[in-house]
Amino acid sequence: MSSTEPPGARIIAAVPPARSVRVGAGERLRTTSLPGLTMTVRSRPPTAPDVPPALFVHGLGGSSQNWSALMEQLADRVDGEALDLPGFGDSPPPDDGDYSITGHARAVIRYLDASGRGPVHLIGNSMGGAITTRVAAVRPDLVRTLTLVSPALPELRPQRAAVPTGLLAVPGVTRLFTRMTKDWDAERRTREVMMLTYGDPRRISREDFALAVEEFERRLTLPYFWDALARSARGVVDAYTLGGQHSLWRQAERVLAPTLLVYGGRDQLVSIRMARRASATFRDARLLTLLDAGHVAMMEYPEAVARGMRELLEDADGRDDRDSREARAAVAVPGADGSGAARG
């Protein structure tokens, strides 16, 4: 897979959407338009000069708001942007209706190609972890480092709590679920999601819960909300069944970028037992295990995830410095035969 953007394509800044969406203090929101694709981008201007770009990709049912706390923690270290994937957050559905992992990965690649921000420090959670793994495998030129928080990589024995989410992929189930839960208000729906995704929902402040309820109410008014959720769930399930070079685990083996894997000990959707397999699969991996975290460690423990990322970024910077010194030395040192040819 590669970007198919025509040579003249570019990102067009537009007026932020009229719908009310939360923009945290210090954040900015803009809409970017590409042929057949419109996405909302949340950004936090860095607090230090000359820092590298980073791109954050949310999971199933999430949005760019999932990254606000972590982007704030890293504002002195990266120039952070977070996407609302097509059909999620404040982004409308893609014109082609493609919600597969490949389709979402293509959207990320098209954005990076058009923005010219690559290579970036790329970060993904859950479904976003599968998407960013595919991006890093097929376009290594766009990825400086990769951070995966509870990535949705195929499990032979998925968590029991994850089964209902997978069932959303079955045609007709979403319609049935909406009928069965028609009496649920946004507050109950939000509480159910947090019970599933947080290691300890009691850590959520009243203010944050109220804001989450408000956002859920907004999403429920979108005519495509359930369709985007169901089709993306189907895309995750389909990706789990792919074999050969298209297998997510096979693509994980192809990732060249230094990779940080973050797993939560209380994750009900992605088993912590997958941490060992992931560590052995990604060729340049390090593991951060947060025993009390659930599925969204970057929201529950942003400070701990930020510390792990800082170590990853510092190590990557050190490698860049070593590679640069070695390259200069190779040019400067004459060959053993005295001809002045560089030695590799």
Side-chain angles (χ1 to χ4, degrees), residues 37-39 58 84-88 91-94 98-99 103-104 107 224 228 232:
L37 187 68
T38 299
M39 288 187 290
H58 65 79
D84 280 338
L85 291 169
F88 291 92
S91 295
D98 188 354
Y99 289 102
H104 283 310
Y224 52 81
S232 291

Side-chain angles (χ1 to χ4, degrees), residues 1 3 23 56 63 67 72 80 102-103 110 117 123 135-136 151 160 213 230 232 251 260 269 311 339:
M1 180 186 68
S3 173
V23 183
F56 300 79
S63 76
W67 300 106
E72 183 175 7
T102 296
R110 292 180 63 196
R117 282 170 56 86
I123 306 96
V135 172
R160 180 177 299 177
V213 171
S232 291
Q251 294 196 329
L260 172 65
L269 296 174
E311 293 177 4
S339 66

Side-chain angles (χ1 to χ4, degrees), residues 80-213:
E81 291 187 344
L83 293 178
D84 280 338
L85 291 169
F88 291 92
D90 217 37
S91 295
D95 286 1
D96 61 6
D98 188 354
Y99 289 102
S100 66
I101 294 298
T102 296
H104 283 310
R106 187 178 294 116
V108 173
I109 289 173
R110 292 180 63 196
Y111 174 74
L112 287 173
D113 276 340
S115 68
R117 282 170 56 86
V120 299
H121 296 291
L122 188 61
I123 306 96
N125 167 236
S126 190
M127 180 183 76
I131 293 166
T132 52
T133 294
R134 184 149 290 177
V135 172
V138 302
R139 288 294 302 273
D141 58 304
L142 293 177
V143 182
R144 180 65 193 90
T145 67
L146 181 64
T147 297
L148 304 175
V149 182
S150 295
L153 299 174
E155 298 185 47
L156 292 178
R157 292 181 294 120
Q159 299 270 75
R160 180 177 299 177
V163 172
T165 302
L167 287 175
L168 288 175
V170 179
V173 168
T174 301
R175 191 178 302 109
L176 176 62
F177 178 76
T178 54
R179 285 203 303 265
M180 292 175 60
T181 62
K182 61 183 175 62
D183 295 329
W184 291 15
D185 58 13
E187 182 173 334
R188 179 173 179 181
R189 293 180 189 275
T190 302
R191 185 174 290 109
E192 293 289 337
V193 170
M194 289 183 168
M195 290 288 290
L196 183 64
T197 56
Y198 276 72
D200 183 2
R202 294 172 299 180
R203 290 177 56 87
I204 305 167
S205 68
R206 290 185 179 181
E207 179 184 6
D208 286 344
F209 181 76
L211 290 170
V213 171

Side-chain angles (χ1 to χ4, degrees), residues 198-276:
Y198 276 72
D200 183 2
R202 294 172 299 180
R203 290 177 56 87
I204 305 167
S205 68
R206 290 185 179 181
E207 179 184 6
D208 286 344
F209 181 76
L211 290 170
V213 171
E214 180 182 334
E215 171 62 12
F216 213 129
E217 289 175 338
R218 186 191 70 83
R219 293 187 194 183
L220 288 172
T221 66
L222 302 175
Y224 52 81
F225 171 74
W226 289 110
D227 184 62
L229 191 66
R231 291 188 181 214
S232 291
R234 194 172 306 144
V236 173
V237 173
D238 288 346
Y240 278 25
T241 65
L242 292 176
Q245 64 177 345
H246 299 295
S247 160
L248 284 170
W249 284 114
R250 182 69 62 84
Q251 294 196 329
E253 294 174 348
R254 294 169 53 190
V255 173
L256 301 176
T259 302
L260 172 65
L261 302 164
V262 183
Y263 283 84
R266 295 184 177 180
D267 193 334
Q268 299 181 66
L269 296 174
V270 172
S271 174
I272 194 171
R273 67 175 179 263
M274 301 306 295
R276 178 175 296 181

